Amino acid sequence: MSVLGQVLRSLQNEQDGSLNPEQVCLQLMQDCRHAEQHMQGLERQYRQLKDEQARLQQQAGSLLQRHRQLEQQVLAALDTDEQQALSLAHLLATLESEQTGHATRLGHISKRLTWYRRRWQEAERHYHDLCRQLAMARASRCVRQTMAAIREHPDVTLINAKQALADIRAREQQQDADEPAAPPAPASTSADQVLARLQQQRKQRS
């Protein structure tokens, strides 16, 4: 049953089936305002995540450039100064751990963006559906036609308008709880791991 049908059914007089179109329009206007606020809130969250994604992607590019430079410095130091190579390997290990954290955050943001995009589109469709139903309710002829259609389905139960709205909000809150959870922190890279990997690379190249 549509939201309009629920509202009309809830506002229908149980004794004579009469209906006050003003009450219907008022209820739908309230629902439209709430749906619009919900839609705009999801859009803001989506835009903020897009900005954060762009910032992290820019940082990832800088980290990658720094990683290449440090890796070359470690390889060069392995031929001349092992102590310096170890010191540089520590810096490279820290950088790699930072890169792993960046990649994890970017992956999580990508999932959240997909989730928020879907929720935003759903909220947008719901809002426009309510707006169309409000336009219908404002025309008394359309209201009478809708009431006649509802009366043709005696299995429809009486639903309280406030309770219907509360149910909608409860579903929205439940959906909000399903947002992708943050992943666990990635394991750190050690200097020994970096040196072993680079030494292996050098052997393969020689």
Side-chain angles (χ1 to χ4, degrees):
M1 187 179 184
S2 69
V3 175
L4 176 60
Q6 292 178 353
V7 173
L8 289 173
R9 194 67 173 170
S10 67
L11 296 176
Q12 184 182 6
N13 187 305
E14 293 184 64
Q15 302 300 321
D16 59 10
S18 62
L19 184 73
N20 184 342
E22 293 300 321
Q23 286 182 303
V24 174
C25 290
L26 178 62
Q27 181 66 53
L28 281 171
M29 285 175 64
Q30 292 174 348
D31 290 350
C32 281
R33 281 196 295 269
H34 175 263
E36 184 178 25
Q37 290 170 357
H38 182 62
M39 175 185 67
Q40 291 172 344
L42 288 168
E43 182 181 4
R44 282 194 299 272
Q45 289 282 352
Y46 180 81
R47 300 297 184 197
Q48 289 171 4
L49 282 172
K50 285 290 286 185
D51 291 342
E52 185 177 357
Q53 183 188 51
R55 179 180 60 81
L56 286 176
Q57 286 174 336
Q58 185 177 12
Q59 289 180 355
S62 299
L63 289 173
L64 179 60
Q65 184 178 4
R66 176 61 178 156
H67 180 277
R68 289 169 178 166
Q69 293 171 347
L70 266 177
E71 196 172 61
Q72 291 302 316
Q73 291 173 8
V74 173
L75 287 169
L78 283 172
D79 294 325
T80 57
D81 189 339
E82 290 187 4
Q83 189 60 39
Q84 184 185 17
L86 180 60
S87 178
L88 290 169
H90 277 292
L91 294 176
L92 186 55
T94 300
L95 180 61
E96 288 184 357
S97 296
E98 188 177 351
Q99 284 180 296
T100 302
H102 257 71
T104 301
R105 286 195 293 275
L106 276 169
H108 181 53
I109 285 177
S110 179
K111 290 179 181 179
R112 292 183 69 200
L113 277 170
T114 300
W115 187 86
Y116 270 105
R117 180 67 179 174
R118 176 176 55 81
R119 293 279 288 112
W120 173 23
Q121 290 174 335
E122 290 171 353
E124 189 174 36
R125 285 194 296 269
H126 179 61
Y127 168 68
H128 289 302
D129 184 50
L130 283 173
C131 289
R132 285 192 297 270
Q133 293 178 33
L134 176 58
M136 288 175 57
R138 281 176 169 155
S140 59
R141 181 183 176 189
C142 290
V143 172
R144 286 196 298 271
Q145 289 175 340
T146 305
M147 277 304 305
I150 291 174
R151 290 194 186 96
E152 292 175 1
H153 298 81
D155 57 322
V156 175
T157 58
L158 187 66
I159 300 176
N160 181 275
K162 291 183 179 179
Q163 184 59 46
L165 182 58
D167 290 344
I168 291 172
R169 289 177 176 169
R171 286 197 300 272
E172 289 170 351
Q173 291 172 357
Q174 178 60 41
Q175 289 170 329
D176 288 341
D178 295 334
E179 180 183 349
S188 299
T189 305
S190 69
D192 290 337
Q193 290 173 321
V194 171
L195 279 177
R197 187 186 74 238
L198 293 179
Q199 287 172 341
Q200 182 64 30
Q201 287 180 13
R202 190 174 60 166
K203 288 179 182 179
Q204 292 173 350
R205 293 172 183 172
S206 60

